[in-house]
Amino acid sequence: MLFGLQHVIVMYTGCVAVPLVFGAAMGLDQRTIGILVNADLLVAGVITIIQALGIKKILGARLPVVAGASFTAVTPMILIGEQYGLSAVYGAMIAAGVFGVLVAVPFSRLLRFFPPVVRGAAVTMIGLSLIGKAVSMIFDDGPADGQQLALAGGIILVILALMRYGRGFLSQAAVLIALVAGTLAAMALQLTDFSAVGDAAWFGLPQPFLFGAPTFPIAGIISMCIVMLVIFTETTAYLLSIGETIGKPPTQGQLSRGLAADGVSAVLAGLFTSFPDTVFAQNVGLVRMTGITSRNVVAIAGGILIALGLVPKMGELVASLPGVVIGAVSLVMFATVAGVGISTLAKVDFGDLSNFLITSIALGIGMIPVVAPQVYADFPAEVRIIFGGAISSTVIVAFTLNLVFNHVRRPQKKAKIPA
């Protein structure tokens, strides 16, 4: 029970940050964001149990991994919501989830088309593209304020100090400790409002189709299907990593069943207004650090997440946290995601000109909607949603260039970057 709780503590902030960032970007009220948080925790708990224990030979990797909401989907969801409305966001998500279930087996056989150069570029862009969202939360989309800047800086310093000098629990729970400390500081500065928490119920189920009957715009579906493929690359990398940790590499069947569970998470998320799940890297790291590889421990963590998801007061409490605190924590987490991508790219042979060009061009084109979003403003909605998202455009370019350079036409002699 204690080890399961530790897994929840490690992943909790990352999991709930997704609905907080999405809700703030879409201008949702505090109550609605609280509902998203509860649904997010509930779906994460269900998928975590499925990944740990499995459903026969149908779903679940049967490995000690924890699932949680993926940041990969945030930007495309925002773009779809702005263009077509929130009902389209969750319609596209359901369609992408079905697509994910259908392609899980063939995808598990196509790992050679998603080498570290493609995965690394994608994950790096996930982190870089979301940093702006964190900064917006810190300053409430306004000019820099000295009080907010000082509080955010203090939170970041607490996280860095605990992660660098803390031991055991203090290091692993650094983000959660900083979140609590930052909230207490914000209360002292009168930057909090928890009045709505008292009105929330102690028990309740997430409301299906909260934003109405789902709609299915083609551009939104294509964009979310691309997101699903990116999530698959993330999950595959982490399943292989946990296999190395426990000394038993996952079979192709385990990989495909683990990916199918990600697809199911998107279907459930579309029904209950949540977010697609992926395997959480920090929990893979926790298994490696502690050496506790029991799947039962992770299943207990999933049960705790389900219990939290059924308590509306908890969702309302999280939704009431001040933006400056969530923004500061999210800034560190998004930067860490980018760091994970960079560490993946470190495995790439950049002496090979092909890999050098794939990474450079993919990241360059991916940054266009981040630094100059107006470039796609006059394009049709379909083009804007697919290519106007930094993550989807990076994956498309990296995958295509890798296919052309390393598979379609393989040169007799690899071009090398001049020394």
Side-chain angles (χ1 to χ4, degrees), residues 22-23 25-29 32 36 77-93 209-217 269-270 273-275:
F22 175 73
M26 296 304 300
L28 301 179
D29 60 72
T32 304
L36 297 184
M77 287 175 65
I78 292 171
L79 290 172
I80 296 169
E82 290 174 344
Q83 182 64 38
Y84 298 108
L86 288 168
S87 61
V89 172
Y90 290 97
M93 192 181 298
F209 302 124
L210 180 64
F211 300 112
T215 56
F216 302 91
T273 324
S274 180
F275 305 86

Side-chain angles (χ1 to χ4, degrees), residues 7 44-56 59-67 239 254 257-258 261 279 293-303:
H7 269 292
V46 170
I47 300 302
T48 295
I49 291 176
I50 290 175
Q51 291 285 36
L53 302 182
I55 299 177
K56 296 186 177 180
L59 280 179
R62 294 177 64 85
L63 289 169
V65 293
V66 176
L239 290 179
Q254 284 180 296
R257 291 192 293 272
V279 172
T293 61
S294 169
R295 292 185 291 119
N296 293 328
V297 166
V298 174
I300 288 174

Side-chain angles (χ1 to χ4, degrees), residues 256-283:
S256 62
R257 291 192 293 272
L259 298 178
D262 283 351
V264 170
S265 79
V267 175
L268 291 177
L271 296 175
F272 292 104
T273 324
S274 180
F275 305 86
D277 286 341
T278 186
V279 172
F280 263 31
Q282 53 265 49
N283 294 90

Side-chain angles (χ1 to χ4, degrees), residues 72-109:
T72 307
V74 172
T75 300
M77 287 175 65
I78 292 171
L79 290 172
I80 296 169
E82 290 174 344
Q83 182 64 38
Y84 298 108
L86 288 168
S87 61
V89 172
Y90 290 97
M93 192 181 298
I94 292 173
V98 174
F99 166 79
V101 172
L102 294 176
V103 304
V105 173
F107 186 93
S108 67
R109 297 172 179 169

Side-chain angles (χ1 to χ4, degrees), residues 22-399:
F22 175 73
M26 296 304 300
L28 301 179
D29 60 72
Q30 184 174 304
R31 177 182 172 277
T32 304
I33 294 176
I35 294 173
L36 297 184
V37 170
N38 281 110
D40 176 36
L41 295 172
L42 179 63
V43 172
V46 170
I47 300 302
T48 295
I49 291 176
I50 290 175
Q51 291 285 36
L53 302 182
I55 299 177
K56 296 186 177 180
K57 290 190 176 181
I58 302 173
L59 280 179
R62 294 177 64 85
L63 289 169
V65 293
V66 176
S70 172
F71 281 112
T72 307
V74 172
T75 300
M77 287 175 65
I78 292 171
L79 290 172
I80 296 169
E82 290 174 344
Q83 182 64 38
Y84 298 108
L86 288 168
S87 61
V89 172
Y90 290 97
M93 192 181 298
I94 292 173
V98 174
F99 166 79
V101 172
L102 294 176
V103 304
V105 173
F107 186 93
S108 67
R109 297 172 179 169
L110 298 175
L111 289 181
R112 65 193 182 96
F113 295 109
F114 292 89
V117 67
V118 176
R119 300 198 307 268
V123 176
T124 299
M125 186 52 65
I126 291 170
L128 294 178
S129 65
L130 290 170
I131 287 176
K133 301 288 189 306
V135 175
S136 296
M137 293 178 70
I138 292 173
F139 299 110
D140 297 323
D141 290 315
D145 175 85
Q147 191 179 58
Q148 293 169 314
L149 184 61
L151 179 55
I155 292 170
I156 293 172
L157 286 176
V158 169
I159 295 175
L160 291 175
L162 289 175
M163 293 187 71
R164 177 63 181 84
Y165 300 108
R167 293 291 182 271
F169 176 81
L170 287 179
S171 177
Q172 288 297 320
V175 172
L176 186 65
I177 293 171
L179 183 71
V180 173
T183 301
L184 293 175
M187 291 173 65
L189 297 171
Q190 298 183 334
L191 297 176
T192 57
D193 179 12
F194 293 105
S195 58
V197 177
D199 298 328
W202 279 105
F203 176 81
L205 290 169
Q207 178 183 338
F209 302 124
L210 180 64
F211 300 112
T215 56
F216 302 91
I218 296 300
I221 291 173
I222 294 173
S223 179
M224 288 303 295
C225 286
I226 293 172
V227 166
M228 185 57 60
L229 294 178
V230 178
I231 289 175
F232 275 10
T233 62
E234 290 181 73
T235 293
T236 298
Y238 298 139
L239 290 179
L240 292 174
S241 177
I242 201 71
E244 293 175 1
T245 299
I246 65 177
K248 187 178 180 181
T251 64
Q252 184 182 310
Q254 284 180 296
L255 288 177
S256 62
R257 291 192 293 272
L259 298 178
D262 283 351
V264 170
S265 79
V267 175
L268 291 177
L271 296 175
F272 292 104
T273 324
S274 180
F275 305 86
D277 286 341
T278 186
V279 172
F280 263 31
Q282 53 265 49
N283 294 90
V284 173
L286 182 62
V287 171
R288 181 175 298 179
M289 185 193 76
T290 61
I292 300 170
T293 61
S294 169
R295 292 185 291 119
N296 293 328
V297 166
V298 174
I300 288 174
I304 294 173
L305 288 170
I306 291 175
L308 292 173
L310 296 175
V311 181
K313 275 189 183 295
M314 179 62 68
E316 197 71 53
L317 177 65
V318 173
S320 300
L321 296 175
V324 60
V325 176
I326 295 298
V329 169
S330 298
L331 178 61
V332 174
M333 297 187 62
F334 296 156
T336 303
V337 171
V340 171
I342 293 170
S343 69
T344 300
L345 288 174
K347 303 173 184 176
V348 176
D349 176 17
F350 283 113
D352 182 341
L353 182 59
S354 295
N355 290 333
F356 182 80
L357 290 174
I358 291 168
T359 305
S360 302
I361 302 304
L363 292 178
I365 293 178
M367 284 298 294
I368 291 175
V370 176
V371 301
Q374 72 277 5
V375 168
Y376 296 101
D378 295 329
F379 280 76
E382 292 79 6
V383 176
R384 191 164 61 250
I385 289 175
I386 295 171
F387 291 96
I391 300 166
S392 55
S393 57
T394 299
V395 173
I396 291 172
V397 173
F399 177 80

